[in-house]
Amino acid sequence: MDEFSLIEAIKQKTYKQASLQRGIGDDTAVFREAAGELAIAVDTFVEGVHFTEKTTDLFRLGYRALAANFSDLAAMGALPMYYLVSIVVPPRMEKLKLTEIFNGMKHLADRYNADLIGGDTVSGNELVLSVTVIGQIEQGKARYRNLAEVDDVVFVTGTLGDSQAGLYILQHDLEIVHRQYFINRHQLPVPRIAFASSLGSIKRLALNDISDGLGNEAYEIAEESHVSIILDDKKIPVHPGLAAFPTGLQEKWKYFGGEDFELVGTVAKKDWQTVQQAAEKLKLQVTEIGHVINKDEHAVYLKKNGNMTKLQKEGYTHLK
């Protein structure tokens, strides 16, 4: 593996962001600070923990790694500008294979005019991919988790549990109806950047991306905002194809599965129609799933079959 030839292979010939002064080629990238605010996020993916050769190829690994970071930007109301990639390369991997990871990232990045501006490569035993993204937020429009208030509508985009269904299909080599739909939802998720950025007229909006499961993400909003949230089990949106799986898995995936990279949010009742209209223009499903209440416990409650129980703060955890 020749690091310098790899850099030449993945280096962009031209850049899309006008604020960039210097991309790959020096010790650091340089860009002018744009008007507004900057959002920065980083995620790391480890072979054998977050992915295997059975569940993804390298193109889709690159796409998904960048999509996970772009989803974090969407939750903050930010538009992607730049990304940096650090990669630990195992001895078995050839340069040609490595470029497929970057091709997958570029496939997604080009949709948003995001530029690759740097990174690092080192040798190691397992493939490890760490992606840092930088986005821009309109001044005063950051969508923090602590902005939920009592009587807000709680909503989600898309359907939940799809990614875990796709992973299960790949792990068990299942042939079922909607097989490719679920696999695509796992391997090629769509970050909800367009939807989040279309809500600029709303002054107060809390958002969180569903990377670790609805249970975890709703709890983060409740705790940061010092409120409680009630979710209605009947309103949680799932794809009809999820019915092909055992009931226990369906329940687990829609609340605790994660990696759907949809958005959960809260908004004042007076602004709920604006959210619906924005989703309709994008042909994106958005569903009211609950509401915010004032309770000292700062928890998430589930209304199901006439009963009210506390939803456990569970989901994917990165350290066990």
Side-chain angles (χ1 to χ4, degrees):
M1 171 59 61
D2 182 343
E3 178 181 5
F4 300 104
S5 62
L6 173 63
I7 291 171
E8 282 301 313
I10 64 172
K11 184 169 68 174
Q12 293 183 198
K13 301 302 184 287
T14 60
Y15 293 97
K16 305 175 185 69
Q17 293 292 327
S19 57
L20 186 69
Q21 302 301 293
R22 182 67 171 170
I24 295 174
D26 279 274
D27 286 334
T28 71
V30 178
F31 60 93
R32 293 193 190 98
E33 185 175 349
E37 299 166 341
L38 296 178
I40 301 175
V42 60
D43 268 314
T44 300
F45 298 81
V46 180
E47 185 177 14
V49 177
H50 301 98
F51 65 91
T52 67
E53 292 182 354
K54 185 174 182 177
T55 61
T56 189
D57 59 28
L58 295 180
F59 180 94
R60 289 169 176 78
L61 170 61
Y63 176 103
R64 188 166 171 268
L66 189 59
N69 280 271
F70 279 5
S71 184
D72 285 331
L73 292 181
M76 196 57 69
L79 292 174
M81 298 172 64
Y82 306 113
Y83 64 104
L84 301 94
V85 182
S86 292
I87 185 166
V88 178
V89 185
R92 69 179 187 278
M93 190 154 291
E94 302 170 1
K95 185 183 75 171
L96 184 61
K97 291 183 179 179
L98 270 182
T99 58
E100 276 299 288
I101 295 176
F102 291 91
N103 288 340
M105 291 185 185
K106 187 176 185 301
H107 182 76
L108 179 63
D110 284 350
R111 297 184 192 177
Y112 305 101
N113 292 324
D115 289 319
L116 173 63
I117 60 171
D120 192 22
T121 57
V122 296
S123 298
N125 294 326
E126 292 90 25
L127 178 61
V128 180
L129 193 61
S130 185
V131 182
T132 300
V133 293
I134 301 171
Q136 184 178 8
I137 310 171
E138 184 181 347
Q139 190 74 39
K141 295 293 184 179
R143 307 310 193 178
Y144 300 124
R145 295 170 183 167
N146 67 351
L147 295 177
E149 294 184 2
V150 175
D151 292 330
D152 275 2
V153 170
V154 181
F155 64 89
V156 293
T157 61
T159 52
L160 304 184
D162 294 348
S163 177
Q164 290 303 302
L167 177 61
Y168 190 86
I169 289 169
L170 289 166
Q171 290 173 331
H172 296 85
D173 296 320
L174 295 182
E175 291 292 339
I176 65 168
V177 179
H178 305 297
R179 168 186 165 87
Q180 197 56 50
Y181 166 82
F182 287 122
I183 290 175
N184 287 344
R185 286 279 283 154
H186 176 69
Q187 295 180 333
L188 300 169
V190 179
R192 301 306 182 187
I193 292 167
F195 171 72
S197 63
S198 71
L199 303 177
S201 65
I202 299 176
K203 291 184 178 181
R204 183 183 57 80
L205 179 69
L207 288 178
N208 208 4
D209 89 308
I210 303 178
S211 55
D212 300 328
L214 177 61
N216 256 337
E217 315 303 353
Y219 256 97
E220 287 179 345
I221 292 176
E223 291 170 345
E224 289 294 318
S225 296
H226 305 293
V227 296
S228 286
I229 289 174
I230 295 178
L231 303 179
D232 189 337
D233 179 73
K234 290 182 179 179
K235 294 182 178 180
I236 306 299
V238 295
H239 188 276
L242 210 66
F245 297 92
T247 302
L249 289 180
Q250 294 179 48
E251 292 297 303
K252 177 181 178 181
W253 292 341
K254 74 178 182 180
Y255 288 113
F256 311 117
E259 297 189 329
D260 287 313
F261 300 115
E262 296 292 349
L263 295 177
V264 56
T266 74
V267 68
K269 289 180 180 178
K270 66 181 180 63
D271 293 319
W272 171 231
Q273 187 176 10
T274 301
V275 174
Q276 292 175 298
Q277 290 171 343
E280 186 177 348
K281 286 181 180 178
L282 294 168
K283 297 181 179 179
L284 173 67
Q285 180 177 344
V286 64
T287 308
E288 178 182 353
I289 61 170
H291 60 280
V292 178
I293 63 171
N294 186 12
K295 200 163 186 176
D296 292 337
E297 205 168 358
H298 307 155
V300 178
Y301 296 90
L302 183 64
K303 184 169 68 174
K304 183 177 181 181
N305 299 327
N307 298 315
M308 189 80 73
T309 58
K310 187 186 292 186
L311 188 66
Q312 297 302 307
K313 187 180 180 182
E314 295 178 0
Y316 183 82
T317 55
H318 299 266
L319 294 176
K320 296 182 179 180

